[in-house]
Amino acid sequence: MNISVKRDELLRELGYRQPPEPRILDIVEGVLSLLDDLIEPNLVFRETRDQEGLPPFLAGAALKYAGSATLGPKLEKRVKELFDGGTPAESYILDTAGSVAVTHTGNLLWQRIRRDAASRGFTKGLRRTPGCRGIEMETQRWIFEMLADAEPGITLTESCMMVPRKSLSFLARFGGTPGKG
């Protein structure tokens, strides 16, 4: 699975609208050359047919999924090493590249779920992440209970934050009537 981050995309995420000074461009190029070795994406999703105990967002949906994606622990470890080693700019830029990469990974997961739903006759769906409006952070626990046998490579802290940090999860629904159980 190839998750790539383009130089211009990373520069935009860093806030550059014009080309930065050559030193920053060199750091960006160096960081981008590291990414392939630091990213170990793992994407998992599961359909649920349960009707009881569902997060409210999934109630009434004809087709319901939980999914997660992570870049794995290597990137986070390298970010820490760079920062602890006295190179905070490199650390920050690598961390930002990881944020862009995990967004791409989440989009890839969504594409896979949409393909699965399309194979069942569903073409339009919605996804929501715990912590966004209407989805409590504690929904993370439900998601990871659903995905436990898939070994998502992600653990939850007591406050429902994911480790590694460059990870995401979401609920997806297709068909039905929102909020109707």
Side-chain angles (χ1 to χ4, degrees):
M1 170 181 347
N2 184 18
I3 304 295
S4 65
V5 175
K6 293 180 176 43
R7 183 179 82 165
D8 291 343
E9 178 179 37
L10 178 54
L11 289 171
R12 269 192 315 275
E13 190 67 23
L14 290 166
Y16 289 100
R17 301 298 175 243
Q18 302 295 322
E21 61 185 78
R23 185 178 87 75
I24 299 296
L25 280 176
D26 289 344
I27 294 171
V28 165
E29 292 298 336
V31 159
L32 291 174
S33 72
L34 294 174
L35 277 183
D36 281 346
D37 293 332
L38 297 175
I39 293 176
E40 298 174 320
N42 188 23
L43 293 75
V44 296
F45 68 92
R46 291 282 185 264
E47 177 193 358
T48 181
R49 295 193 172 146
D50 294 338
Q51 295 299 325
E52 298 199 16
L54 291 173
F57 176 73
L58 295 179
L63 190 57
K64 305 168 282 295
Y65 296 92
S68 72
T70 185
L71 300 182
K74 284 183 178 179
L75 184 132
E76 190 171 315
K77 181 178 183 231
R78 185 67 181 135
V79 165
K80 183 177 181 346
E81 290 169 354
L82 288 169
F83 188 83
D84 291 347
T87 53
E90 288 84 347
S91 175
Y92 174 73
I93 292 170
L94 180 58
D95 189 66
T96 303
S99 295
V100 173
V102 79
T103 298
H104 290 319
T105 306
N107 290 338
L108 183 58
L109 175 62
W110 177 233
Q111 288 173 4
R112 289 181 180 183
I113 290 172
R114 287 179 55 207
R115 267 196 306 269
D116 188 75
S119 74
R120 301 161 191 243
F122 293 91
T123 57
K124 295 190 183 228
L126 298 170
R127 66 178 174 172
R128 294 289 181 272
T129 302
C132 74
R133 192 174 109 202
I135 311 289
E136 300 292 329
M137 275 303 286
E138 291 74 21
T139 304
Q140 294 280 45
R141 288 189 186 97
W142 186 89
I143 290 171
F144 286 97
E145 285 173 16
M146 286 286 304
L147 300 175
D149 66 329
E151 299 182 16
I154 302 167
T155 58
L156 291 180
T157 67
E158 193 173 306
S159 61
C160 296
M161 299 303 290
M162 292 176 278
V163 176
R165 286 188 310 251
K166 297 303 182 205
S167 302
L168 57 81
S169 69
F170 58 78
L171 302 170
R173 61 172 291 131
F174 293 81
T177 305
K180 302 288 184 198

